């Protein structure tokens, strides 16, 4: 039964997927005498935590009840005070958590406080599912780096465009809409200057219902982004230009005057120091970055070890062409057994296309 | 119930998959008073047809029975005489067929003969399934061309080798064994001279149990195949060299003296006239050809409209490299909407790899 | 999507199954921009309605949101005021309901009030599921009679006891525990005086976790219930004796002095007027009655048209015996085609036994 | 793979279900180089065995092949000679059997002969499935008694008729047709004289397609069967009257003169010695008997330990009636824990009715 209720808590936690950043997704379910008497989930940073919602709904039925939370209750922050204290005050009997707080600074403190108050605590129920639910938050809070996600789309013969550069559209409408749901649930989106110059993209989320725009990040070592580019002019979302310290000062100034943030990073042979960039973005509470680059930028983020997860769309068509571009350029591995491996592959059909998703092995 | 018994007939027809060439796969089920009383399937060219096996098993119970056959009974050839006559002689009451003979010269003759003998005939039961079962035979007998199958294997970023040319192994052991089951069920295997020079492959079927070797076809316009190549020396299977009429006569002679058949074809800018080649192979009763070429030969057979079906293995790894080769080279389409489309896509996991199979649209 | 959210509302409504009597089970889900932002369900009569819980959880996100409720929001009663007004005040945009209020006196009023306030209203989403969820409440509120449920348990040869009367146990432990979950979710349990005299049962709910005892109703026309019977002495639940007006006054007085309620009903040849009894019980807010009688009382409630649903346990054993009792006695139908039919039969295995549940046709 | 091919052998064995009596159902599959090259099943007593059919279909491909047979190949009987010898002569390499011959006189002889010829033998693959397939044959050959099957049909309150005796129809048309498929696959059908006098039944198999009539057995201790009864006059199937030695000689003579066989059995208080009857029927090669009696005869065959399997139809209707008859009469068990238990219960819906099938425990 513990797993049954925890699964319910995980389900309601997901209601807020993509909306709680930089906070984790958390769900709480309160059970009294074999019945659910309260449910809550965290909806947005700065609003009540899951436990507070659930306790409020349960009211006095929370007394002597068992509480299932997908994450260790906090012992510190939040406008509504520490959740551990709220649980103690509500006189619950038992708290079951899926996992402890991944923040190494506070991990275990909440559970300690509950136990000190005489509340029975059980840990680790559906821990793997909870860790998967918050893979982004865990990466960010435990390493200080954003969770990197690479999205590519290619033909059945590995091309992301025709040899002429023409690329509209490799995938069908359903797959392209799915990309917008990815944008909706990531904090940042990253492309190279090449993409901006070639396509002048908006890089926003366009969904039938509501959508949240990610922060737009342009890797542009020489600050070449045109002042007329949509990412500069449209004001739909924040834009960050990742330029190198060698970028012409007047371009930097011009961009900044348009309200665009320009970061001046260490220059590298390939452009800018991407690890430095990601670190700075993490400090700005950008916990996840969706990379939608061309072959070059994709190769760079992979080489810099910045990618955790890959979404690869495959369209059932053959474009052909010895010089047509592929999803990942650069030099590449020298031998097949030196390549980057993926694991936990999941496959799904989206319209006529296929989506393979997996995790970089060893991350 | 007609569908039920026809499905059974289709099932037993498949027992001989890859063994009946150039004959089709055929199954027959005889039903009397609601019970199966005889089953048979064609096992190999030159041996009894499905109907003969089934009638023999049913014995006198065939009288007044209903016979389900996946293909129209023959009215002509075969060592055991026309099956239509055998059915008439057995005094069956009704014959249900999935499809008529795809050979335009004899289509309908068998059914006509049955009807003339007062036997009730029903056509078209599970016709689509039967057509799929014999897609190879139908292509060959109705067009005089072999059924072309392209097999590729690439990484998740579209590479068939590292930029250095290293390619061992893109896919895992299970996928590689599956390729041998493909070889086992095709009449011919085709590669370009580049593959022979680079890898000196055997191009044979290596399976734990029995396997049938396909005829090895090397597209080699200048007859460069070394006399020491395994395909020349190993005598495991017939080898055909597709050279152009301009190939040096002494090389052709040398190869022929080693027991290799050399075809002299029309020269084209890309090498040899592949359509002419396929036509000649079809005349040699090679009904299906598995193309396992490199990027160039793959592009050529696709451009020549010789491919009907594609098997594409995708390995969960990223190799990278702007210059690393992809499954299909050549010039390629100028725009995405001019590319070759696939349909009827089926997806299956084989070991850690994925296999996408589909048909070229419009074929 | 309407169905998706309504299904969720139906699911959470059930969390309080058996606890809201005489109120219905109601669930509410609030959706804003494609996300659930609040959920609530009615937990117990006298506590907040589902909509109030959901609005409280949604907070200001309820503004412009869509609310899914399994039942028309009330326009009148409740300690927390009319829910229709609360929805209007929260400025929701749209209300989707599964069904209107089954109470003919107020049906449609809530929706009218919402529409008058400019809120879009959609009716009938998953109406059948919602009606099934509240089959008890709907029967009671729309007819003024309790929902009658007959529970029987017999062997595979139709016996509820051996010819000697021995009956422990026809069904296994799992089935017997399931009966306690039935008791837990019904307002009343009814047996005949024969069962009390033979078995001296407690007629309480015994479950591993918490359980609610139903009111115990004994059909006992002559008020023969012994003063030492458990239902008189144990004080675990209220007991009502359904006696006839002819019952000896001193027995009635004695029972009443023990705290047992005695109803004096019209006498009939078979005992007491059961329809009168059920009507009186309905007025006491007993919305559902589980009949666990012997063959005679079961026949009587069926003959009096008081049963809506039947749960029949069947044990995989053969007891035999021409005189062994069966689930339903009395005179019975004269011909098979005059019998009582059941429909919507559901079958489930409980331990080694089988449970068939169905509804009396035409009710 | 052994299980895969044995399952196929079991499947084809069933094609002849109900047609091979008193022989078992047997299927044989011949596998060479990973392919099925021959299949056969026994169709009828006096015709070729499964192995002979399969060997004939495989032809010379049987050499060095593996043969899967559901039962040990015979070493003795059959018009086509011992199958063990045929397998040896065909030079098969390996024989896999599901179970040895259940006939204790010959069990193991066939396998011994195969092993002596140097053929590898594997036993016990899918043994339980094979034993289930031939439950009738195994009972008969190993005990010398027929396999007894009791078929009943009752209402949800355990009645097989109204209190008036009216019984048309408890179950629906689909269930009644299913009973005919039961008759079709049993060697004998048994009822009591009461059923003959009340209903004058035909006791034949009426199916849309072909059907085989069982031998009709009437338990009629005083030889009261009217000479005008359909079972006497219609000549559709053999009829056996099980009378007692005390039956009036002139009635016995009259019945015999009409072509009915009359057995004169030991008299018992309940009628005739049923065990003696079943033993005599087994000697007449009646391997299975379907009992469709009324309450009395059903109780008698159960009491005499003659039933192995029970099919109980349950109709979703309530007939009621203290005196209405139930499926099993007689005295019955004195206590519930002394009753007859069933196991391996399978449940299926047939039209609106339910069919529970199970085996008497301990048989
Ligand atoms: Zn908290
Ligand atoms: Zn033929
Ligand atoms: Zn309300
Ligand atoms: Zn044999």
């Amino acid at each position: 039964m513990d797993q049954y209720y925890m699964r319910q808590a995980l389900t309601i936690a997901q209601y807020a997927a993509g909306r709680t950043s930089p906070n984790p997704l958390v769900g709480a379910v309160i059970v009294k005498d074999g019945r659910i008497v309260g449910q809550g989930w965290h909806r947005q940073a700065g609003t009540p935590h899951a436990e507070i919602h659930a306790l409020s709904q349960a009211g006095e039925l929370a007394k002597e009840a068992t509480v299932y939370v997908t994450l260790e209750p906090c012992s510190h922050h939040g406008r509504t005070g520490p959740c551990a204290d709220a649980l103690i005050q509500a006189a619950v009997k038992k708290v079951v958590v899926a996992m402890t707080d991944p923040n190494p600074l506070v991990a275990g403190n909440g559970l300690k406080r509950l136990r000190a108050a005489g509340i029975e605590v059980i840990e680790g129920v559906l821990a793997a599912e909870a860790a998967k639910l918050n893979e982004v938050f865990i990466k960010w809070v435990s390493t200080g780096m954003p969770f990197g996600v690479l999205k590519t789309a290619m033909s059945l013969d590995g091309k992301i465009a025709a040899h002429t550069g023409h690329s509209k559209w490799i995938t069908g409408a359903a797959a392209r809409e799915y990309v917008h749901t990815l944008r909706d649930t990531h904090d940042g989106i990253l492309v190279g200057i090449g993409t901006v110059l070639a396509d002048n993209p908006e890089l926003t989320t366009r969904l039938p219902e509501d959508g949240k725009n990610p922060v737009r990040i342009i890797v542009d070592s020489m600050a070449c982004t045109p002042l007329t580019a949509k990412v500069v002019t449209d004001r739909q979302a924040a834009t960050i230009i990742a330029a190198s310290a060698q970028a012409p000062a007047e371009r930097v100034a011009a961009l900044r005057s348009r309200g665009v943030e320009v970061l001046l990073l260490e220059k590298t042979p390939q452009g800018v120091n991407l690890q430095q960039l990601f670190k700075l973005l993490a400090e700005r509470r950008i916990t996840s970055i969706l990379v939608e680059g061309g072959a070059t930028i994709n190769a760079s983020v992979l080489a810099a070890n910045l990618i955790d997860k890959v979404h690869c769309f495959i369209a059932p068509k053959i474009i052909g062409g010895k010089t047509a571009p592929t999803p990942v350029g650069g030099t590449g591995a020298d031998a097949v057994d030196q390549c980057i491996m993926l694991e936990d592959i999941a496959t799904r059909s989206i319209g006529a296309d296929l989506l393979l998703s997996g995790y970089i092995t060893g991350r």
Side-chain angles (χ1 to χ4, degrees), chain A:
Chain A
M1 286 311 282
D2 276 2
Q3 293 206 353
Y4 173 84
Y5 292 121
M6 189 60 83
R7 208 170 295 283
Q8 177 66 5
L10 288 164
T11 297
I12 61 177
Q14 284 171 322
Y15 288 161
R19 288 301 175 268
T20 60
S21 177
N23 284 359
L25 294 168
V26 187
V29 166
I30 305 184
V31 176
K32 176 76 164 286
D33 289 332
R35 285 165 189 283
I36 296 179
V37 297
Q39 291 190 152
W41 62 98
H42 184 47
R43 273 192 325 236
Q44 198 176 348
T47 71
H49 287 185
E51 299 93 321
I52 305 306
H53 277 299
L55 286 171
S56 147
Q57 193 167 74
E60 59 183 32
L61 289 173
K63 207 173 159 181
E64 291 293 303
T66 299
V67 183
Y68 294 84
V69 205
T70 57
L71 201 68
E72 176 182 5
C74 66
S75 58
H76 50 109
H77 56 69
R79 295 191 189 171
T80 40
C83 290
D85 291 5
L87 290 165
I88 293 166
Q89 209 164 348
V92 308
K93 188 172 151 194
K94 185 166 143 184
V95 172
V96 182
V97 302
M99 56 179 290
T100 52
D101 197 310
N103 184 339
L105 298 177
V106 301
N109 290 354
L111 299 185
K112 219 176 288 174
R113 197 181 289 211
L114 292 172
R115 286 194 174 109
I119 293 172
E120 183 188 349
V121 173
I122 295 178
E123 304 176 48
V125 173
L126 299 184
E129 286 84 346
K132 183 114 184 186
L133 176 72
N134 279 315
E135 58 188 15
V136 165
F137 175 74
I138 293 171
K139 167 86 188 283
W140 177 71
V141 86
S142 62
T143 68
M145 290 293 274
F147 188 83
V149 177
L150 176 63
K151 181 241 111 183
T152 64
M154 67 178 182
S155 62
L156 204 52
D157 65 328
K159 311 298 192 297
I160 62 171
H163 72 100
T164 56
H166 181 272
S167 67
K168 281 200 169 52
W169 297 107
I170 300 284
T171 54
R176 297 200 309 272
E177 177 168 331
Y178 189 85
V179 170
H180 285 278
T181 71
L182 288 176
R183 290 180 178 179
D184 178 54
T185 50
H186 286 78
D187 291 345
I189 182 172
L190 184 148
V191 300
I193 178 64
T195 299
V196 171
L197 296 175
D199 300 338
N200 190 17
E202 294 178 56
L203 302 178
T204 54
T205 300
R206 281 152 344 242
L207 287 172
E209 293 206 300
D210 159 69
K212 189 190 57 57
N213 288 326
V215 172
R216 300 175 290 197
I217 303 142
I218 318 295
V219 176
D220 176 13
S221 79
M222 295 313 284
C224 300
T225 302
L227 296 182
T228 56
K230 287 180 184 165
V231 294
V232 174
T233 61
D234 72 2
R235 312 260 156 179
Q236 292 196 67
T239 298
I240 295 174
I241 307 277
S244 76
Q246 274 100 317
E250 68 280 9
R251 297 196 104 129
V252 169
L255 284 163
R256 282 180 173 159
S257 75
R258 296 311 197 273
V260 167
E261 184 172 14
V262 181
L263 302 177
L264 299 181
L265 306 164
E266 205 183 303
K267 180 142 182 54
T268 65
Q270 282 76 36
V272 301
N273 183 329
L274 291 169
Q275 272 162 325
Q276 188 189 6
L277 169 62
F278 271 54
K279 190 146 189 42
L280 285 172
L281 294 171
E283 284 164 11
R284 274 163 174 71
R285 304 199 150 197
I286 292 177
T287 63
S288 59
I289 295 175
L290 181 67
V291 178
E292 293 194 32
T296 305
I297 198 85
N298 291 350
S300 299
V301 289
L302 282 165
N305 254 328
L306 295 169
I307 296 301
D308 298 278
K309 190 172 187 171
V310 175
H311 292 297
C312 175
F313 290 93
I314 300 172
K317 46 187 71 162
I318 295 176
I319 295 173
K322 194 180 160 73
T323 63
T326 64
V328 181
T331 304
D334 287 345
V336 172
D337 48 15
Q338 290 161 26
C339 72
I340 296 168
M341 302 295 297
L342 285 94
E343 63 195 6
D344 282 344
I345 305 293
T347 306
R348 52 184 291 190
S349 289
I350 300 186
D353 303 311
L354 200 76
L355 173 59
L356 264 83
S357 303
Y359 294 85
I360 303 287
T361 299
R363 305 244 81 208

